[in-house]
Amino acid sequence: MKAGDGDGGGTIFVPLLDGDGDGVVDGKDDDHGFVSGSTSFFKTCFNSVNALSGVGILSLPHAVSSGGWFSLIFFFLIAGSTYYTALLIQRCLDMDKSIRSFSDIGGRAFGSKGRAIVSIATNIELYLVATGFLILEGDNLNDLFPDIEYNIGGFVLGGRKSFIVIIGLLILPTVWLNNMSILSYISATGVMASFVLIGSVLWAAVFDGIGFRGKGTFVNLKGFPIAVSLYAFCYCAHPVFPALYNSMKDQKKFSKVMLVCFLVTTTSYASMAVLGYMMFGSNVESQVTLNLPTSKTSSKVAIYTTLVNPFAKYALMLKPVISALESHLTSSPNRGLSIVIRTGLVLSTITVAVAVPFFGYLMSLVGAFLSVTASIILPCVCFLKISGAYRRFGFEMASIWVIVLVGGVILVVGTYTALDEIIENLL
């Protein structure tokens, strides 16, 4: 879902359709970490939607359940705000053509410290999203194959946790790869996967007897922080946008690309949110697929579609983190040490996923703490600094500071609530 820059830290990786239609490329060249401008408007739209479409769609019914129908207003407010911050990123890129990556924006605005903050935030986000993939895989496989249990040296590993370990070990060889072009092809099906998922869930409701019997609540203030944090998680693709901008043949049309991207993804996200909540109401799980009857074909299509993309995207998510670690821990290419670093990184995500197997709460933590930072706060403050707009008071500057203020509130309250829920469930 993400795309790359070339400094070894703060890189985000997304498979991009190339400019001449020959296939999928990894979004990078050897010199700058981006594809030189040869990609058409249509293909950039596809790449943008693919970047913004992610596993967050599975948690949206749960988000509505947490905050009630009224919380959807905040969903659309976040969608609108993140669309605006995407345009602020474009304006930063228009002002300085030497900016090639999200880290460059931080560096241009606040020097080496700004670059470091952006790099750390994006790499932690990628690490936790990859960890969330393992939890998602474990939850859905356990739903398909319940009552599986392993006894290893007197230590009993339950179904969900055993699947997390198994999937993590199966994915490990893909992380050892340096050339991930095959995974890029699979990962680029994310756009299609979202629509297949919505279609399968709708089929289950209309034709498989589930119906729309969920009794929802209008508002649940206690669950609002979790709801808003999950909404923010769905719009965490902003570190991708500089790479997409630089890949375009006609960069003046990038604002139109963003409009198409946000309209398509927001429509699909809202459809799943409303559909899932109308079907299951307050009983909806952290992933809507866990509510589907596994005996039905439509349910199996939805679950298997859910399983394929994270399997491919896991290694792509960790690639920037690996690059950052290897650039800091090794002075020259060393394949053996690289394997050790990559294996250790995967094992650490398995450990975190087994220890904190709460997909909804972990993603709400990512949404509140990291997605809000990367997609709302950083684009605003970097634009104000790069453009010099902070020196002159006006409607736009006031609006930007309001967005930053609201983002700060979501960050603090959402992070506290997510951590509180995780700790409570652990205890």
Side-chain angles (χ1 to χ4, degrees):
M1 118 178 150
K2 315 245 173 176
D5 62 53
D7 60 2
T11 313
I12 308 292
F13 188 94
V14 67
L16 304 178
L17 280 180
D18 65 11
D20 57 13
D22 291 333
V24 179
V25 294
D26 64 4
K28 301 183 75 175
D29 70 13
D30 293 334
D31 298 321
H32 303 292
F34 67 97
V35 179
S36 57
S38 60
T39 308
S40 68
F41 174 83
F42 174 78
K43 289 173 184 174
T44 308
C45 287
F46 177 89
N47 291 329
S48 301
V49 174
N50 180 51
L52 203 56
S53 300
V55 296
I57 193 171
L58 299 172
S59 292
L60 283 172
H62 174 67
V64 183
S65 174
S66 297
W69 288 113
F70 183 74
S71 70
L72 283 172
I73 293 177
F74 286 80
F75 167 75
F76 290 108
L77 287 174
I78 287 174
S81 298
T82 50
Y83 168 66
Y84 177 67
T85 57
L87 298 182
L88 292 183
I89 289 175
Q90 180 192 1
R91 289 165 69 179
C92 290
L93 296 166
D94 287 338
M95 283 185 282
D96 188 344
K97 293 298 182 181
S98 67
I99 295 176
R100 296 297 185 182
S101 68
F102 199 55
S103 293
D104 285 347
I105 292 176
R108 176 68 175 77
F110 300 105
S112 58
K113 290 182 179 179
R115 179 181 291 274
I117 290 172
V118 171
S119 297
I120 291 169
T122 51
N123 279 316
I124 293 175
E125 179 182 22
L126 290 175
Y127 178 87
L128 291 178
V129 170
T131 302
F133 284 167
L134 295 180
I135 300 172
L136 183 151
E137 298 275 337
D139 286 345
N140 283 279
L141 284 171
N142 186 55
D143 196 38
L144 286 173
F145 310 104
D147 304 323
I148 290 181
E149 195 172 83
Y150 296 94
N151 191 320
I152 305 173
F155 179 74
V156 178
L157 201 62
R160 180 198 301 173
K161 294 182 178 180
S162 65
F163 281 123
I164 289 173
V165 174
I166 292 169
I167 290 297
L169 295 177
L170 287 175
I171 287 176
L172 179 58
T174 68
V175 179
W176 292 338
L177 298 173
N178 285 324
N179 185 345
M180 298 186 180
S181 58
I182 295 177
L183 294 179
S184 294
Y185 278 97
I186 302 172
S187 180
T189 62
V191 178
M192 185 69 70
S194 295
F195 292 108
V196 170
L197 187 61
I198 293 170
S200 298
V201 173
L202 180 61
W203 184 281
V206 176
F207 298 106
D208 288 340
I210 296 177
F212 300 100
R213 304 186 183 93
K215 294 182 179 180
T217 57
F218 178 69
V219 63
N220 178 17
L221 293 179
K222 184 179 179 181
F224 239 74
I226 293 294
V228 175
S229 299
L230 288 172
Y231 296 151
F233 173 68
C234 292
Y235 292 94
C236 64
H238 286 55
V240 175
F241 295 150
L244 295 172
Y245 173 92
N246 286 308
S247 75
M248 277 197 79
K249 186 183 299 182
D250 186 358
Q251 295 171 348
K252 293 179 180 178
K253 293 182 179 179
F254 190 72
S255 59
K256 295 180 180 178
V257 169
M258 290 293 95
L259 180 61
V260 171
C261 170
F262 276 82
L263 283 176
V264 171
T265 51
T266 299
T267 300
S268 63
Y269 281 154
S271 299
M272 179 60 83
V274 173
L275 182 62
Y277 193 40
M278 287 177 65
M279 290 169 66
F280 304 110
S282 59
N283 295 319
V284 70
E285 300 281 355
S286 63
Q287 303 154 56
V288 69
T289 49
L290 300 179
N291 288 95
L292 299 175
T294 55
S295 59
K296 301 294 184 180
T297 301
S298 60
S299 302
K300 290 180 180 179
V301 170
I303 294 171
Y304 287 130
T305 301
T306 299
L307 292 173
V308 170
N309 247 309
F311 196 96
K313 285 188 175 182
Y314 178 91
L316 298 175
M317 287 290 114
L318 284 186
K319 183 178 173 67
V321 185
I322 291 167
S323 298
L325 287 175
E326 290 182 352
S327 67
H328 287 93
L329 298 178
T330 61
S331 55
S332 59
N334 184 320
R335 184 60 179 166
L337 184 56
S338 175
I339 294 293
V340 171
I341 291 172
R342 296 175 187 212
T343 303
L345 191 62
V346 173
L347 292 178
S348 71
T349 63
I350 293 173
T351 303
V352 174
V354 169
V356 190
F358 314 120
F359 180 82
Y361 294 138
L362 184 63
M363 293 306 98
S364 67
L365 175 62
V366 174
F369 184 55
L370 298 166
S371 300
V372 167
T373 300
S375 297
I376 296 178
I377 296 175
L378 285 177
C380 287
V381 296
C382 287
F383 170 78
L384 289 173
K385 185 68 167 63
I386 292 172
S387 66
Y390 68 94
R391 299 191 186 98
R392 49 187 184 274
F393 186 80
F395 176 76
E396 182 174 51
M397 191 192 77
S399 301
I400 291 173
W401 279 118
V402 168
I403 293 173
V404 171
L405 179 62
V406 174
V409 172
I410 295 172
L411 188 153
V412 173
V413 178
T415 300
Y416 172 80
T417 305
L419 287 173
D420 183 60
E421 292 286 357
I422 288 171
I423 294 170
E424 183 179 330
N425 278 275
L426 287 173
L427 296 178

